[in-house]
Amino acid sequence: MPIPMRGLAAALFLASATLTAPPPAEAQVAFSAPGLFDRLGAGASPAEGEAPTPPITVSPAPPAGGDTPEPPGGDTPGGVTPPPPPPDNGGGATPPPPPPPDPVLAVYIAVSGATTGPFDAAQLKEKVASGALTGDTYVWMEGMGEWKRASEVPQLREILAAAPAKPETPDFDIMGYLPGTWRSDPEQMQITGVDRASITGTTEYRRDKTYEGFGQVEMMAQGYTQLLNFTLEGTWEVQNVSAQGFVLVLKGQATYYLDTGPFVESVSGAFQLRIADRNTLVNDKGTRMVRLN
């Protein structure tokens, strides 16, 4: 899990004085340790969704001449002309004439700023079924002064209404997934004045949305190794939850244990995590967090 770096930097500055001499003979306390990041606030909480595509800035001109394609072979769809009505032999009234044919659609579609088409009704239905034409797609027909979204064109509403329903995706049960104890792999850190540093940690996320953890920073400078232990506690929540991942939001405090005594600072940050499998999370740097129980 992540740890706050502002206080950690201050703590490391105080701890760095001990790096100029070999560490004391007594054994250092080495905690097993939480999927900790090398910085706090790895990113603000992402938005709930992508912003809608802005209106197309390049408005392709209507096709030359503005001619609408005529159906082949006649004035009715498919070129079929109804036969003349039967003669009136006194056996009844002459049947009414057939209804006028449906107007022929010739719709142009904007794709990445380019004009495609025209497309007739059958082709438009295929595009709706494949997802290539939605209510937000920009279209143009003869007689329109400018490009409009398909949902704003009355002639296309019936075609758009025939779009297949999207399958419902069940909500991911984050409360059935995250609570438990997680241990992180070591993650490299960059600390001024230190040749090499890595951080590890272990954190328990509880169902009441509190957490508690402990960890260790291992630093090497001038050939000597120094260990900095810390503990964490606070509350957690999640955002943008899906079966692929979520954003973990932490608030609380961290305590660093220095030679001069403990140092406490606040914790606040949001961290993107990817779900690799039932027992593995991966942060944006590729560091794994593995479930212990």
Side-chain angles (χ1 to χ4, degrees):
M1 62 164 276
I3 69 165
M5 295 308 301
R6 175 167 48 83
L8 178 57
L12 297 183
F13 175 79
L14 295 175
S16 63
T18 64
L19 297 180
T20 59
E26 56 270 17
Q28 296 287 339
V29 178
F31 293 91
S32 62
L36 304 174
F37 300 107
D38 64 354
R39 66 187 187 279
L40 179 65
S45 304
E48 289 295 334
E50 296 293 337
T53 304
I56 293 178
T57 56
V58 179
S59 297
D67 293 332
T68 302
E70 296 293 335
D75 295 331
T76 57
V80 178
T81 302
D88 183 7
N89 296 323
T94 301
D102 293 333
V104 176
L105 286 177
V107 178
Y108 294 83
I109 297 177
V111 178
S112 300
T115 301
T116 62
F119 303 102
D120 59 24
Q123 294 170 320
L124 293 172
K125 291 178 181 178
E126 292 177 357
K127 289 187 174 296
V128 168
S130 67
L133 173 61
T134 70
D136 291 330
T137 305
Y138 279 95
V139 299
W140 186 89
M141 297 172 56
E142 184 178 0
M144 292 171 50
E146 60 183 359
W147 290 85
K148 294 183 178 180
R149 296 188 185 276
S151 59
E152 300 172 355
V153 180
Q155 297 92 323
L156 300 181
R157 289 172 184 167
E158 184 176 347
I159 293 176
L160 292 172
K166 295 182 178 180
E168 293 186 2
T169 302
D171 293 336
F172 183 76
D173 182 15
I174 191 65
M175 295 303 296
Y177 179 84
L178 184 59
T181 302
W182 297 78
R183 181 185 64 202
S184 74
D185 292 342
E187 183 171 292
Q188 298 301 310
M189 305 173 61
Q190 297 294 327
I191 301 176
T192 303
V194 176
D195 298 332
R196 185 173 67 254
S198 65
I199 187 169
T200 56
T202 298
T203 304
E204 178 187 6
Y205 297 97
R206 306 186 182 103
R207 297 187 66 85
D208 64 358
K209 292 195 173 181
T210 63
Y211 70 88
E212 188 172 2
F214 56 89
Q216 187 175 80
V217 179
E218 180 177 347
M219 301 169 287
M220 177 173 286
Q222 300 177 8
Y224 299 108
T225 300
Q226 174 72 35
L227 301 177
L228 173 64
N229 298 315
F230 60 87
T231 59
L232 297 165
E233 61 180 352
T235 61
W236 64 270
E237 61 181 64
V238 292
Q239 299 175 353
N240 296 357
V241 178
S242 72
Q244 288 71 48
F246 54 91
V247 176
L248 178 64
V249 181
L250 299 180
K251 295 181 180 179
Q253 67 178 26
T255 302
Y256 308 102
Y257 296 93
L258 312 174
D259 293 341
T260 56
F263 175 82
V264 180
E265 76 161 0
S266 62
V267 172
S268 179
F271 310 90
Q272 181 70 52
L273 297 175
R274 177 175 60 84
I275 298 174
D277 56 43
R278 172 62 188 167
N279 298 308
T280 309
L281 288 166
V282 182
N283 69 10
D284 58 357
K285 287 196 164 193
T287 302
R288 299 187 315 157
M289 294 170 57
V290 179
R291 184 193 303 275
L292 299 181
N293 59 48

